[in-house]
Amino acid sequence: MSMNFGGFDAFDDAGDNGGGGGEEKIHVRVQQRNGRKCITTIAGLAEDLDVKRICKAFKKNFSCNGAVQKDEEAGEVIQLSGDQRTNVKAFLVDQEISHSEYVVLHGF
């Protein structure tokens, strides 16, 4: 796995659904807002999951604000305030929503 930190585009590899795998990858990204503020976005959750309940659990466990946004390409996307990438991955694996190899962390 090569780490390329120069010239980073957070949405560059969004279409890497890979070949052969029956399960889609969950993409967890962090986007810089202004100053020290950032937003964590979770895209690629399965259609049969209750995204609003998952967002509510994220908000309660991580003590942050969050919202569910509709997107044409990615479906329903969860937005959380702050850098919650590692918390989100740990939560998804602990609650058996997804396996660790299907959760992809993006960002700085």
Side-chain angles (χ1 to χ4, degrees):
M1 184 167 117
S2 66
M3 300 294 243
N4 184 8
F5 294 109
F8 182 73
D9 182 13
F11 296 102
D12 193 22
D13 53 356
D16 64 351
N17 292 339
E23 192 168 336
E24 298 269 333
K25 292 189 184 240
I26 298 174
H27 296 277
V28 182
R29 295 182 177 85
V30 65
Q31 295 175 330
Q32 193 73 31
R33 277 183 39 215
N34 47 3
R36 295 174 51 198
K37 309 287 185 186
C38 58
I39 295 175
T40 304
T41 59
I42 300 105
L45 290 168
E47 296 293 325
D48 59 342
L49 293 175
D50 190 356
V51 179
K52 289 187 177 182
R53 272 184 68 189
I54 294 173
C55 182
K56 189 173 181 180
F58 284 156
K59 289 165 57 174
K60 188 170 186 138
N61 288 335
F62 308 151
S63 300
C64 67
N65 199 6
V68 177
Q69 301 289 325
K70 300 264 190 216
D71 187 41
E72 298 87 31
E73 296 175 7
E76 290 185 321
V77 177
I78 299 176
Q79 290 183 341
L80 301 174
S81 62
D83 187 1
Q84 307 289 345
R85 288 174 294 175
T86 55
N87 294 338
V88 167
K89 183 171 183 175
F91 181 87
L92 292 174
V93 173
D94 288 344
Q95 298 298 320
E96 298 177 357
I97 296 172
S98 178
H99 294 290
S100 179
E101 61 266 12
Y102 293 117
V103 180
V104 181
L105 300 182
H106 303 280
F108 44 79

